[in-house]
């Protein structure tokens, strides 16, 4: 069960207040959803498709990831196409809208978003449709998925979250015209995780966002300067994945905060989009959670500390140290589970306590782990040639309805 973040002054009175708040919130959301659905259906019926319009949505309503890489490539390919981003927050104008006059954005949950979704020729998403609606038959719905490789279970394979949301996944999946997958070795996993999705609609390619890493892997100094990090000192990035509840969050952050007090290295934090603004970050921990340019941040990172995140597949392309901090491994395995045996799969030392984490960093053996990091990169990336964005865009444009 997710934690109730409402502050309750008294047990009885607080519970009544929470229940009433939940009731009215649910009622309001139902009202908005009903009105929105009616508006969307009217637009779908009345206004034709705009053949030159593409709508983008990245996980959490951000401007990042595979959709961003395709967007950048599309601007080069065809400057006349209209590009609409569905965002949770306003983007950084200097990096977003200055490239072309035909680029716009709107709030995810808005009538403008519904209008653009109803009239776009292409939907370029890397997660489920955020509003629970389906496109017109003429619209080409492309699923780029936000995770690389296959590690922790996802989609309907997930023991907890996936089973609970199976119905909504299957409804959304049935309208995808293309699903991106990073390797031939995991096509069967992607197919099953998304409700036996047809193999002939799964396109295998390296991920568009990873072109940047491939092209800039040797430029660590440039990116350290961009993020104002010490050049001659190792930068350690902690990037935990999202948990469906927060039972173990204190343990996770205690371990990392311990590092900031013990090590001389600079330590940074990168939270999953679903965890933003939910924790008090230690004063000595640099928070990069809201930086959209994750690929640049990875290029500036000397050592990655993570847990069950698919970020390891992106970072493996840099061939740098990865350490796995997993104090809640047993809990996570029982709730989410993996496609493999975790302890033999990961390409780095495993730490379950603060002291083990410190030893893993101090005693890290690069020569021992490098072959396994390279093996991971090769197995889970079909291409590593810096041309994934072009390859995937060409595939999208070749789809016929």
């Amino acid at each position: 069960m997710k934690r109730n973040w409402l502050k309750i002054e008294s047990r009885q009175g607080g519970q009544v207040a929470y229940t009433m708040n939940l009731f009215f919130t649910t009622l309001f959301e139902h009202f908005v959803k009903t009105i929105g659905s009616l508006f969307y259906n009217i637009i779908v019926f009345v206004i034709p498709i705009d053949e030159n319009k593409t709508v983008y949505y990245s996980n959490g309503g951000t401007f990042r990831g595979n959709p961003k890489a395709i967007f950048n490539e599309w601007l080069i390919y065809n400057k006349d196409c209209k590009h609409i981003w569905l965002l949770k927050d306003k983007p950084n104008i200097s990096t977003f809208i200055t490239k072309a006059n035909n680029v716009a954005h709107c709030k995810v949950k808005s009538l403008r978003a519904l209008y653009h979704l109803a009239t776009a020729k292409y939907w370029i998403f890397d997660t489920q449709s955020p509003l629970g609606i389906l496109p017109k038959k003429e619209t080409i719905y492309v699923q780029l998925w936000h995770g690389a490789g296959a590690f922790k279970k996802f989609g309907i394979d997930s023991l907890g979250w996936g089973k609970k949301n199976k119905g909504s996944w299957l409804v959304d999946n049935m309208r995808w015209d293309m699903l991106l997958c990073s390797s031939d070795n995991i096509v069967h996993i992607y197919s099953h995780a998304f409700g036996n999705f047809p193999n002939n609609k799964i396109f295998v390619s390296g991920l568009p966002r990873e072109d940047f890493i491939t092209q800039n892997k040797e430029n660590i100094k440039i990116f350290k300067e961009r993020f104002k990090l010490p050049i001659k000192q190792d930068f350690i990035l902690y990037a935990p994945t999202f948990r469906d509840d927060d039972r173990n969050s204190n343990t996770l952050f205690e371990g990392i905060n311990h590092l900031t007090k013990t090590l001389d290295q600079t330590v940074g934090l990168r939270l999953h989009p679903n965890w933003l603004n939910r924790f008090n970050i230690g004063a000595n921990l640099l928070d990069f959670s809201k930086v959209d340019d994750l690929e640049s941040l990875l290029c500036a990172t000397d050592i990655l500390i993570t847990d069950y995140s698919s970020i390891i597949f992106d970072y493996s392309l840099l061939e740098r140290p990865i350490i796995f901090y997993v104090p809640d491994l047993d809990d996570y395995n029982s709730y989410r589970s993996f496609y493999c045996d975790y302890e033999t799969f990961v390409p780095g030392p495993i730490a379950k306590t603060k002291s083990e984490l410190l030893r893993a960093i101090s005693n890290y053996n690069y020569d021992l782990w490098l072959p396994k990091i390279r093996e991971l990169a090769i197995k889970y990336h079909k291409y590593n040639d810096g041309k994934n964005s072009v390859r995937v865009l060409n595939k999208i444009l070749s789809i016929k309805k």
Side-chain angles (χ1 to χ4, degrees):
M1 179 179 295
K2 290 185 178 179
R3 180 174 295 180
N4 172 16
W5 293 98
L6 187 67
K7 293 183 178 178
I8 299 176
E9 297 297 333
S10 67
R11 192 180 186 92
Q12 185 175 2
Q15 185 60 46
V16 171
Y18 172 72
T19 303
M20 292 298 292
N21 181 61
L22 182 63
F23 171 77
F24 285 112
T25 299
T26 304
L27 187 65
F28 178 73
E29 289 180 349
H30 179 72
F31 173 76
V32 171
K33 186 175 182 180
T34 301
I35 296 299
S37 297
L38 179 61
F39 175 79
Y40 179 77
N41 288 326
I42 291 173
I43 297 298
V44 165
F45 183 76
V46 174
I47 302 180
I49 285 286
D50 184 338
E51 296 288 333
N52 286 319
K53 182 189 287 186
T54 300
V55 173
Y56 303 85
Y57 178 73
S58 188
N59 192 28
T62 55
F63 177 56
R64 63 176 64 155
N66 293 321
K68 179 182 176 182
I70 291 299
F71 161 74
N72 286 330
E73 190 63 38
W74 210 321
L75 284 179
I76 298 171
Y77 173 81
N78 181 0
K79 294 183 179 180
D80 296 325
C81 184
K82 303 169 189 174
H83 303 274
I84 313 295
W85 275 85
L86 307 185
L87 299 172
K88 182 179 180 181
D89 300 306
K90 289 183 179 180
N92 184 325
I93 299 299
S94 65
T95 61
F96 182 70
I97 299 194
T98 55
K99 292 187 176 181
N101 295 325
N102 54 340
V103 179
H105 65 91
C106 60
K107 287 279 188 179
V108 178
K109 295 181 179 180
S110 67
L111 293 181
R112 284 184 65 201
L114 290 169
Y115 170 79
H116 288 305
L117 288 167
T119 56
K121 177 64 176 179
Y122 297 93
W123 288 12
I124 309 296
F125 293 0
D126 69 0
T127 188
Q128 272 186 299
S129 172
L131 300 173
I133 58 176
L134 297 177
K136 281 185 176 181
K137 291 182 179 179
E138 305 97 303
T139 297
I140 294 172
Y141 187 178
V142 176
Q143 179 54 252
L144 299 180
W145 196 236
H146 55 275
F151 183 17
K152 63 186 177 187
K153 288 189 176 180
F154 58 93
I156 66 173
D157 286 348
S158 173
L159 297 178
W161 189 91
K163 300 301 182 186
K164 182 177 67 176
N165 297 278
K166 182 175 180 179
S168 63
W169 271 113
L170 294 178
V171 170
D172 200 59
N173 301 356
M174 65 184 292
R175 271 297 285 112
W176 297 351
D177 294 294
M178 172 190 141
L179 169 62
L180 179 63
C181 176
S182 65
S183 170
D184 292 306
N185 296 311
I186 52 175
V187 166
H188 65 290
I189 292 178
Y190 273 58
S191 174
H192 190 270
F194 296 119
N196 294 321
F197 189 78
N199 282 12
N200 63 347
K201 290 187 177 183
I202 298 178
F203 182 63
V204 180
S205 170
L207 303 187
R209 67 169 185 250
E210 291 175 346
D211 287 342
F212 186 91
I213 294 175
T214 301
Q215 295 162 2
N216 293 281
K217 61 190 299 183
E218 305 301 328
N219 298 327
I220 188 168
K221 181 179 178 181
I222 293 174
F223 295 105
K224 282 192 170 185
E225 289 174 344
R226 180 179 299 179
F227 292 105
K228 299 179 181 179
L229 299 168
I231 302 298
K232 297 182 179 180
Q233 186 184 78
D234 282 347
F235 169 58
I236 301 172
L237 180 67
Y238 177 47
T241 194
F242 171 68
R243 271 79 164 162
D244 298 277
D245 63 49
D246 304 306
R247 286 174 297 173
N248 299 293
S249 59
N250 288 337
T251 305
L252 298 178
F253 291 103
E254 281 174 5
I256 299 304
N257 285 323
H258 177 66
L259 292 185
T260 64
K261 300 172 184 177
T262 309
L263 298 176
D264 292 330
Q265 292 100 320
T266 303
V267 182
L269 173 69
R270 174 73 179 193
L271 289 176
H272 188 282
N274 290 347
W275 260 6
L276 292 182
N277 304 317
R278 289 176 66 167
F279 304 103
N280 292 321
I281 308 304
N284 296 322
L285 195 60
L286 299 178
D287 189 6
F288 294 101
S289 300
K290 293 185 178 180
V291 172
D292 280 331
D293 194 358
L294 174 59
E295 290 71 37
S296 291
L297 186 60
L298 291 180
C299 287
T301 300
D302 296 282
I303 301 171
L304 175 68
I305 300 175
T306 186
D307 42 29
Y308 323 111
S309 174
S310 62
I311 197 173
I312 64 170
F313 298 102
D314 302 90
Y315 195 70
S316 68
L317 297 172
L318 292 166
E319 299 185 354
R320 297 176 192 167
I322 309 173
I323 294 170
F324 296 84
Y325 179 49
V326 289
D328 61 341
L329 177 57
D330 292 338
D331 276 354
Y332 195 88
N333 193 26
S334 64
Y335 183 79
R336 187 72 178 253
S337 192
F338 302 95
Y339 290 110
C340 52
D341 177 71
Y342 181 88
E343 299 197 34
T344 58
F345 176 82
V346 296
I350 296 172
K352 296 183 180 180
T353 65
K354 292 186 289 186
S355 57
E356 288 179 0
L357 178 58
L358 191 59
R359 284 198 300 272
I361 296 172
S362 302
N363 301 328
Y364 186 85
N365 187 332
Y366 184 70
D367 292 332
L368 173 66
W369 289 109
L370 180 58
K372 197 163 185 178
I373 294 172
R374 285 177 173 169
E375 179 185 347
L376 186 84
I378 293 170
K379 182 176 181 180
Y380 291 96
H381 299 90
K382 183 170 184 176
Y383 300 104
N384 186 16
D385 57 4
K387 300 178 181 178
N388 294 315
S389 297
V390 174
R391 188 179 295 110
V392 173
L393 178 58
N394 286 338
K395 176 61 180 179
I396 293 171
L397 296 175
S398 72
I399 297 173
K400 306 297 181 183
K401 297 296 289 187

Short mmCIF file of all heavy atoms in Angstrom, two decimals, residues 84-107:
data_model
loop_
_atom_site.label_atom_id
_atom_site.label_comp_id
_atom_site.label_asym_id
_atom_site.label_seq_id
_atom_site.Cartn_x
_atom_site.Cartn_y
_atom_site.Cartn_z
N ILE A 84 4.60 18.75 -30.94
CA ILE A 84 3.90 19.13 -29.72
C ILE A 84 4.35 18.22 -28.58
O ILE A 84 4.26 16.99 -28.68
CB ILE A 84 2.37 19.01 -29.87
CG1 ILE A 84 1.90 19.66 -31.18
CG2 ILE A 84 1.67 19.59 -28.64
CD1 ILE A 84 2.11 21.15 -31.26
N TRP A 85 4.84 18.82 -27.48
CA TRP A 85 5.26 18.07 -26.30
C TRP A 85 4.23 18.18 -25.19
O TRP A 85 3.77 19.28 -24.87
CB TRP A 85 6.61 18.58 -25.80
CG TRP A 85 7.77 17.95 -26.52
CD1 TRP A 85 8.32 18.35 -27.70
CD2 TRP A 85 8.50 16.80 -26.10
NE1 TRP A 85 9.36 17.52 -28.05
CE2 TRP A 85 9.50 16.56 -27.08
CE3 TRP A 85 8.43 15.97 -24.99
CZ2 TRP A 85 10.40 15.51 -26.98
CZ3 TRP A 85 9.33 14.92 -24.88
CH2 TRP A 85 10.30 14.69 -25.87
N LEU A 86 3.87 17.03 -24.61
CA LEU A 86 3.00 17.01 -23.44
C LEU A 86 3.90 16.97 -22.21
O LEU A 86 4.64 16.01 -22.01
CB LEU A 86 2.09 15.78 -23.46
CG LEU A 86 1.26 15.56 -24.73
CD1 LEU A 86 0.33 14.38 -24.53
CD2 LEU A 86 0.49 16.81 -25.12
N LEU A 87 3.84 18.02 -21.38
CA LEU A 87 4.78 18.16 -20.27
C LEU A 87 4.05 18.39 -18.94
O LEU A 87 2.98 19.00 -18.90
CB LEU A 87 5.72 19.34 -20.53
CG LEU A 87 6.61 19.24 -21.78
CD1 LEU A 87 7.33 20.56 -21.99
CD2 LEU A 87 7.59 18.10 -21.65
N LYS A 88 4.68 17.91 -17.89
CA LYS A 88 4.15 18.15 -16.54
C LYS A 88 4.48 19.56 -16.10
O LYS A 88 3.66 20.25 -15.47
CB LYS A 88 4.74 17.13 -15.56
CG LYS A 88 4.21 17.27 -14.15
CD LYS A 88 4.82 16.22 -13.23
CE LYS A 88 4.30 16.36 -11.81
NZ LYS A 88 4.90 15.34 -10.90
N ASP A 89 5.70 20.01 -16.39
CA ASP A 89 6.14 21.35 -16.02
C ASP A 89 6.64 22.08 -17.26
O ASP A 89 6.91 21.46 -18.29
CB ASP A 89 7.26 21.28 -14.98
CG ASP A 89 6.81 20.58 -13.71
OD1 ASP A 89 5.79 20.98 -13.14
OD2 ASP A 89 7.48 19.61 -13.30
N LYS A 90 6.81 23.39 -17.13
CA LYS A 90 7.34 24.17 -18.24
C LYS A 90 8.79 23.77 -18.51
O LYS A 90 9.56 23.58 -17.58
CB LYS A 90 7.27 25.66 -17.94
CG LYS A 90 5.85 26.21 -17.95
CD LYS A 90 5.87 27.71 -17.72
CE LYS A 90 4.45 28.27 -17.77
NZ LYS A 90 4.44 29.73 -17.56
N PRO A 91 9.18 23.67 -19.77
CA PRO A 91 10.57 23.30 -20.09
C PRO A 91 11.50 24.50 -19.98
O PRO A 91 11.06 25.64 -19.85
CB PRO A 91 10.46 22.85 -21.55
CG PRO A 91 9.36 23.73 -22.10
CD PRO A 91 8.36 23.87 -20.98
N ASN A 92 12.78 24.21 -20.03
CA ASN A 92 13.78 25.27 -20.11
C ASN A 92 13.74 25.84 -21.53
O ASN A 92 14.12 25.18 -22.48
CB ASN A 92 15.17 24.69 -19.81
CG ASN A 92 16.23 25.77 -19.79
OD1 ASN A 92 16.18 26.73 -20.55
ND2 ASN A 92 17.21 25.59 -18.93
N ILE A 93 13.24 27.07 -21.66
CA ILE A 93 13.00 27.65 -22.98
C ILE A 93 14.28 27.66 -23.82
O ILE A 93 14.24 27.41 -25.02
CB ILE A 93 12.45 29.08 -22.84
CG1 ILE A 93 11.11 29.06 -22.08
CG2 ILE A 93 12.26 29.72 -24.21
CD1 ILE A 93 10.03 28.27 -22.75
N SER A 94 15.41 27.93 -23.21
CA SER A 94 16.66 28.06 -23.96
C SER A 94 17.07 26.76 -24.64
O SER A 94 17.76 26.78 -25.65
CB SER A 94 17.79 28.53 -23.04
OG SER A 94 18.07 27.56 -22.05
N THR A 95 16.65 25.63 -24.10
CA THR A 95 17.04 24.35 -24.69
C THR A 95 15.90 23.69 -25.44
O THR A 95 16.07 22.64 -26.01
CB THR A 95 17.53 23.38 -23.60
OG1 THR A 95 16.45 23.14 -22.68
CG2 THR A 95 18.71 23.94 -22.86
N PHE A 96 14.74 24.31 -25.45
CA PHE A 96 13.57 23.61 -25.97
C PHE A 96 12.95 24.26 -27.20
O PHE A 96 12.84 23.65 -28.24
CB PHE A 96 12.53 23.50 -24.85
CG PHE A 96 11.29 22.76 -25.26
CD1 PHE A 96 11.33 21.40 -25.49
CD2 PHE A 96 10.10 23.42 -25.42
CE1 PHE A 96 10.19 20.71 -25.87
CE2 PHE A 96 8.95 22.75 -25.80
CZ PHE A 96 9.00 21.39 -26.02
N ILE A 97 12.55 25.49 -27.10
CA ILE A 97 11.70 26.07 -28.13
C ILE A 97 12.46 26.95 -29.12
O ILE A 97 11.90 27.38 -30.09
CB ILE A 97 10.54 26.84 -27.49
CG1 ILE A 97 9.72 25.89 -26.65
CG2 ILE A 97 9.65 27.51 -28.49
CD1 ILE A 97 8.40 26.37 -26.22
N THR A 98 13.71 27.21 -28.91
CA THR A 98 14.43 28.13 -29.79
C THR A 98 14.81 27.49 -31.13
O THR A 98 15.21 28.19 -32.05
CB THR A 98 15.72 28.62 -29.11
OG1 THR A 98 16.50 27.48 -28.72
CG2 THR A 98 15.39 29.44 -27.88
N LYS A 99 14.68 26.18 -31.26
CA LYS A 99 15.16 25.50 -32.46
C LYS A 99 14.26 25.73 -33.67
O LYS A 99 14.72 25.72 -34.79
CB LYS A 99 15.29 24.00 -32.19
CG LYS A 99 16.41 23.65 -31.22
CD LYS A 99 16.59 22.15 -31.12
CE LYS A 99 17.75 21.81 -30.22
NZ LYS A 99 17.98 20.37 -30.10
N ALA A 100 12.96 25.89 -33.46
CA ALA A 100 12.05 26.03 -34.59
C ALA A 100 10.76 26.70 -34.14
O ALA A 100 10.36 26.60 -32.98
CB ALA A 100 11.76 24.65 -35.19
N ASN A 101 10.10 27.37 -35.06
CA ASN A 101 8.84 28.03 -34.74
C ASN A 101 7.68 27.04 -34.64
O ASN A 101 6.62 27.39 -34.14
CB ASN A 101 8.52 29.09 -35.81
CG ASN A 101 9.53 30.22 -35.81
OD1 ASN A 101 10.04 30.60 -34.76
ND2 ASN A 101 9.83 30.74 -36.99
N ASN A 102 7.87 25.84 -35.15
CA ASN A 102 6.78 24.87 -35.19
C ASN A 102 6.86 23.88 -34.03
O ASN A 102 6.40 22.76 -34.12
CB ASN A 102 6.79 24.11 -36.52
CG ASN A 102 8.13 23.49 -36.83
OD1 ASN A 102 9.14 23.88 -36.27
ND2 ASN A 102 8.14 22.50 -37.72
N VAL A 103 7.48 24.29 -32.93
CA VAL A 103 7.57 23.46 -31.73
C VAL A 103 6.76 24.12 -30.62
O VAL A 103 6.90 25.32 -30.37
CB VAL A 103 9.03 23.30 -31.28
CG1 VAL A 103 9.10 22.46 -30.01
CG2 VAL A 103 9.87 22.68 -32.39
N ALA A 104 5.90 23.33 -29.97
CA ALA A 104 5.08 23.87 -28.89
C ALA A 104 4.94 22.84 -27.79
O ALA A 104 5.33 21.68 -27.95
CB ALA A 104 3.70 24.27 -29.43
N HIS A 105 4.39 23.26 -26.68
CA HIS A 105 4.18 22.33 -25.56
C HIS A 105 2.90 22.71 -24.83
O HIS A 105 2.39 23.84 -24.95
CB HIS A 105 5.35 22.37 -24.59
CG HIS A 105 5.52 23.69 -23.90
ND1 HIS A 105 4.92 23.99 -22.69
CD2 HIS A 105 6.20 24.80 -24.26
CE1 HIS A 105 5.24 25.21 -22.34
NE2 HIS A 105 6.02 25.73 -23.26
N CYS A 106 2.35 21.78 -24.08
CA CYS A 106 1.17 22.05 -23.26
C CYS A 106 1.17 21.10 -22.07
O CYS A 106 1.89 20.10 -22.06
CB CYS A 106 -0.12 21.92 -24.07
SG CYS A 106 -0.40 20.29 -24.78
N LYS A 107 0.38 21.41 -21.07
CA LYS A 107 0.24 20.56 -19.91
C LYS A 107 -0.35 19.21 -20.32
O LYS A 107 -1.22 19.14 -21.19
CB LYS A 107 -0.67 21.22 -18.87
CG LYS A 107 -0.04 22.40 -18.15
CD LYS A 107 0.88 21.92 -17.03
CE LYS A 107 1.35 23.08 -16.17
NZ LYS A 107 2.21 22.62 -15.07
#
